[in-house]
Amino acid sequence: MSGQSASQSESQSDRQSASRRGRPLRIFLVAGEHSGDALGAKLMAALQRQRPAEIAFSGVGGEEMSRAGLVSIFPIDDVAVMGAVHILSALPRLIGRVYQTVDAALAFAPDCVVIIDSPEFTHPIAKRIRKRAPHIPIIDYVSPSVWAWRPGRARKMRAYVDEILGLLPFEPAAHVRLGGPHCTYVGHPLIERLDEIAAADRDGLSQRLGLALDVPVLLVLPGSRRSEVERLIGAFGDTIALLRRQGANFETVILAMPHVREAIAASAASWPGKTHIADGAIEKFSAMRLARAALAASGTVTLELALAGTPMVVAYKVDAVMAPFLRRMIQGETVVLANLVLGSNAFPEFMQEDCNAEKLAAALAPLLAEGPARSAQLLALQQIAGRLTLPSALSPSDAAAQCVLETVERHSAGKSRRGWPT
């Protein structure tokens, strides 16, 4: 850095520090869907615990962030859309909300911007804020899955993201390898729920559903999004039917979130044998602890199953628009989070054309019985919690808040990590 540019940087830092004196720390948060809203609310609470002085929040969030003190500039449901087809149909509205959010952020004059997951919505906002106000540090809470899909995104993020708060322990190394922004592992929020998972009421759920005590339970998790359920429920039903024809004896329990329960129940009505439906909103961990094995859509649910100690087979399908590009976009040999945390492919996964009854049933049958396949998974499952746990005593929310505050202070002192690594 030349003497002149160093002097300009110090002068800007002095102006920023002076402008903050006598006013609350200003943090602008942007969540694009309800899982991000939950993370944002916990982050806000942790920031308020760690910062003795007042903090002012603004941005976009849902009900949980609202309860934590955020007045959202518009309802989060306006932008909570997933999947290429749904995003395309909502594009005009999304674009309008992007520009509205950028204008609101600049008017708020924040000390930092925290974007939370939902890269289709939050990253266009971050890019525009960086262009119009390059002095504002931008933190991305939840790394995009660059380690699995489209790895080139990592390096591009360096232009508009100063710090990533990673939920998965392998993400800092992944961003070093891919040339992405600096990433700090702050812990997955699931590790805050280990006691809840361990205490889940298996017997109570079994009694409510009227399950036979001496018959193993196969838990089916077709996803929480309607489009996801539509893509997987047929193959999952065919798998159940094939296992029955092959002579497997088990109780079928499907985990259904309230907004997709009706669609799931309609599809499962034609499955052979009695099918029980558990409430995904309140009985999820009880069902996982009760199950001998699970057939699951790929996603965070694989970490939940792992922490519950449930052997699993994982399936994944994308929509028709994305299908031709799926193989080209995948980076590495697995997209299953439990496998990535473990560092090995302990849990079989079947994507697109491989997501069929023959392959799924062949992988599930050994998990319902005793044998080496089941024993290997049980051994792998025992390692997941240790891989996710933070070395410090901090909760993930507190670790994230600490990183946010450190990033603000670093920028205030003119010690930005922008451009890292070289």
Side-chain angles (χ1 to χ4, degrees):
M1 180 181 289
S2 68
Q4 182 180 8
S5 61
S7 175
Q8 289 173 342
S9 177
E10 290 171 4
S11 176
Q12 182 185 55
S13 175
D14 291 342
R15 287 196 300 272
Q16 291 170 357
S17 296
S19 69
R20 280 201 299 272
R21 294 189 196 110
R23 71 164 175 84
L25 182 69
R26 295 174 182 263
I27 299 181
F28 193 89
L29 304 106
V30 185
E33 61 177 316
H34 297 287
S35 59
D37 177 48
L39 279 178
K42 289 185 176 181
L43 175 63
M44 291 169 66
L47 285 165
Q48 289 165 328
R49 285 194 299 271
Q50 293 184 29
R51 180 84 176 190
E54 184 183 357
I55 299 181
F57 296 111
S58 185
V60 180
E63 291 182 3
E64 295 195 47
M65 290 172 72
S66 176
R67 285 193 290 270
L70 180 81
V71 178
S72 184
I73 60 177
F74 53 79
I76 196 172
D77 287 336
D78 281 6
V79 295
V81 295
M82 294 299 297
V85 173
H86 295 86
I87 289 171
L88 286 173
S89 64
L91 198 56
R93 183 178 74 250
L94 287 173
I95 291 172
R97 291 308 198 189
V98 164
Y99 282 100
Q100 181 183 355
T101 305
V102 172
D103 290 342
L106 298 180
F108 186 63
D111 296 297
C112 75
V113 171
V114 181
I115 57 173
I116 307 172
D117 209 358
S118 304
E120 297 88 354
F121 175 64
T122 61
H123 284 227
I125 291 167
K127 292 175 185 177
R128 286 160 177 79
I129 291 174
R130 176 51 45 86
K131 184 175 182 179
R132 293 174 59 182
H135 63 281
I136 298 175
I138 297 174
I139 300 166
D140 190 0
Y141 192 6
V142 184
S143 172
S145 50
V146 293
W147 29 264
W149 310 92
R150 296 164 48 209
R153 291 176 296 169
R155 184 170 291 276
K156 292 178 182 177
M157 288 171 61
R158 288 171 56 184
Y160 58 90
V161 170
D162 299 286
E163 182 76 29
I164 296 174
L165 310 183
L167 303 190
L168 299 165
F170 57 83
E171 289 179 325
H175 278 280
V176 170
R177 184 178 73 253
L178 298 172
H182 188 271
C183 177
T184 300
Y185 174 55
V186 297
H188 199 284
L190 277 174
I191 66 177
E192 297 179 357
R193 306 183 70 180
L194 287 176
D195 290 343
E196 176 189 351
I197 294 171
D201 185 8
R202 294 177 291 182
D203 293 340
L205 178 60
S206 180
Q207 291 174 12
R208 186 186 77 74
L209 297 178
L211 301 178
L213 297 178
D214 58 344
V215 178
V217 171
L218 174 58
L219 179 62
V220 180
L221 304 105
S224 59
R225 299 186 181 105
R226 192 173 300 276
S227 58
E228 193 174 43
V229 171
E230 290 172 352
R231 291 194 294 269
L232 292 173
I233 197 72
F236 284 9
D238 291 344
T239 301
I240 298 298
L242 180 56
L243 285 169
R244 297 280 189 205
R245 290 197 301 273
Q246 292 172 345
N249 183 30
F250 57 90
E251 295 268 23
T252 305
V253 174
I254 307 181
L255 200 66
M257 296 300 290
H259 60 281
V260 291
R261 181 186 177 97
E262 185 176 342
I264 288 174
S267 294
S270 62
W271 294 8
K274 184 172 176 57
T275 300
H276 310 269
I277 300 181
D279 185 343
I282 60 175
E283 297 177 323
K284 173 170 59 177
F285 295 130
S286 296
M288 290 177 178
R289 295 275 292 159
L290 178 65
R292 184 167 179 84
L295 172 59
S298 184
T300 304
V301 71
T302 66
L303 290 183
E304 294 173 327
L305 286 165
L307 293 175
T310 311
M312 71 189 89
V313 170
V314 185
Y316 192 79
K317 280 188 176 183
V318 298
D319 57 42
V321 174
M322 296 300 295
F325 308 101
L326 179 64
R327 295 293 178 188
R328 285 194 306 231
M329 291 191 302
I330 293 176
Q331 171 81 10
E333 297 180 357
T334 182
V335 296
V336 175
L337 292 180
N339 282 338
L340 289 163
V341 168
L342 193 62
S344 64
N345 293 357
F347 311 106
E349 61 191 290
F350 300 93
M351 295 189 298
Q352 292 305 102
E353 65 275 4
D354 289 331
C355 178
N356 61 62
E358 289 73 20
K359 291 188 176 182
L360 295 175
L364 278 167
L367 301 182
L368 292 169
E370 293 296 339
R374 179 175 178 80
S375 296
Q377 282 213 21
L378 290 173
L379 185 62
L381 290 166
Q382 294 174 13
Q383 303 175 48
I384 300 292
R387 299 289 179 94
L388 289 173
T389 302
L390 288 167
S392 70
L394 292 176
S395 71
S397 303
D398 282 314
Q402 184 179 82
C403 195
V404 168
L405 295 174
E406 288 174 353
T407 300
V408 171
E409 290 306 315
R410 192 163 50 245
H411 277 257
S412 175
K415 298 177 181 178
S416 169
R417 279 180 171 149
R418 193 166 298 169
W420 180 97
T422 57

